[in-house]
Amino acid sequence: QKEVEQNSGPLSVPEGAIASLNCTYSDRGSQSFFWYRQYSGKSPELIMSIYSNGDKEDGRFTAQLNKASQYVSLLIRDSQPSDSATYLCAVNDDKIIFGKGTRLHILP
Amino acid sequence: NAGVTQTPKFQVLKTGQSMTLQCAQDMNHNSMYWYRQDPGMGLRLIYYSASEGTTDKGEVPNGYNVSRLNKREFSLRLESAAPSQTSVYFCASSVERVNQPQHFGDGTRLSIL
């Protein structure tokens, strides 16, 4: 059974600090990884895609992929109250698997 | 550019009633999906359509049927609604089935009494 695991949280981070969200996956052959943000009562929205080992940066967001250790992480720099949401990690190759999400709370 | 449009946004049904959830995308995507999201369970794939003319079961297909009407439209039907089908339903689409990010509609909040 292929799985994607995330700590459910809540993860509380002071405004302006770096929020670090982690995700592990079970299928060593997985190739494509995605982070989605979901505000309460809203639909998931794509933040980052990452396919290769290493870091990928987009504005305040950095996705990190380590295939040898089978984890993918999302860093949010200069955290803002508007970043408070649930963050979903997903793998989409031969199967589509979403983690259950980590709730992030940015403290003003 | 609307993206992925779902109708209706809210619906209340009685046990045993049937209904169809509609989804349309205007991004010329090949693949479309239906998910349900329940508290503590995350997003679970019900059915997907990798391309026009094909449909496949996901993780939780029982009690549902789908139709890929054309490239733009993918509908989800509940033939005999049950309280266990109370959930938020999301439609999504992607350029291709594999290795591509998905774009989600706003969701349908469905309650079965």
Side-chain angles (χ1 to χ4, degrees):
Chain A
Q1 181 81 2
K2 298 181 181 180
E3 295 181 339
V4 173
E5 300 285 345
Q6 297 181 254
N7 188 318
S8 62
L11 174 65
S12 295
V13 174
E15 183 175 355
I18 296 175
S20 177
L21 304 162
N22 298 312
C23 170
T24 60
Y25 59 95
S26 61
D27 183 8
R28 186 171 291 277
S30 294
Q31 297 291 323
S32 55
F33 306 87
F34 306 91
W35 282 100
Y36 294 84
R37 177 177 62 201
Q38 186 174 25
Y39 292 115
S40 180
K42 301 297 185 181
S43 61
E45 103 187 87
L46 179 71
I47 299 176
M48 297 282 286
S49 306
I50 187 165
Y51 302 91
S52 304
N53 271 332
D55 295 358
K56 179 181 178 182
E57 186 175 319
D58 184 0
R60 294 186 298 112
F61 298 98
T62 299
Q64 299 175 319
L65 176 59
N66 184 322
K67 290 186 177 180
S69 300
Q70 294 176 235
Y71 80 79
V72 56
S73 61
L74 180 70
L75 302 179
I76 306 174
R77 290 182 299 281
D78 188 24
S79 296
Q80 302 297 311
S82 59
D83 295 325
S84 297
T86 297
Y87 290 79
L88 306 175
C89 173
V91 171
N92 182 10
D93 32 52
D94 64 325
K95 288 196 72 173
I96 303 166
I97 307 173
F98 278 81
K100 294 181 180 179
T102 298
R103 284 183 295 140
L104 175 65
H105 183 208
I106 306 302
L107 303 169
Chain B
N1 193 349
V4 179
T5 302
Q6 291 183 236
T7 56
K9 295 189 184 305
F10 302 93
Q11 185 70 46
V12 178
L13 294 178
K14 294 180 180 179
T15 297
Q17 287 185 317
S18 62
M19 86 160 292
T20 299
L21 307 185
Q22 306 287 353
C23 176
Q25 53 91 8
D26 62 3
M27 295 177 283
N28 200 35
H29 285 173
N30 286 310
S31 303
M32 298 184 73
Y33 313 82
W34 277 105
Y35 292 90
R36 60 179 291 173
Q37 188 174 40
D38 304 290
M41 299 298 291
L43 278 167
R44 292 183 291 171
L45 183 64
I46 304 171
Y47 271 94
Y48 67 95
S49 171
S51 60
E52 186 178 357
T54 70
T55 60
D56 285 284
K57 295 179 180 179
E59 181 185 355
V60 288
N62 291 344
Y64 305 94
N65 286 300
V66 291
S67 295
R68 182 76 183 266
L69 304 171
N70 48 55
K71 189 171 185 178
R72 291 185 63 249
E73 298 173 288
F74 189 38
S75 63
L76 178 72
R77 183 161 178 84
L78 287 70
E79 290 291 352
S80 179
S84 61
Q85 295 177 305
T86 292
S87 188
V88 180
Y89 291 85
F90 289 106
C91 177
S93 69
S94 63
V95 172
E96 298 293 344
R97 157 63 188 88
V98 179
N99 296 336
Q100 295 292 322
Q102 297 177 27
H103 302 265
F104 286 81
D106 289 340
T108 295
R109 283 149 184 79
L110 183 61
S111 293
I112 315 296
L113 304 178

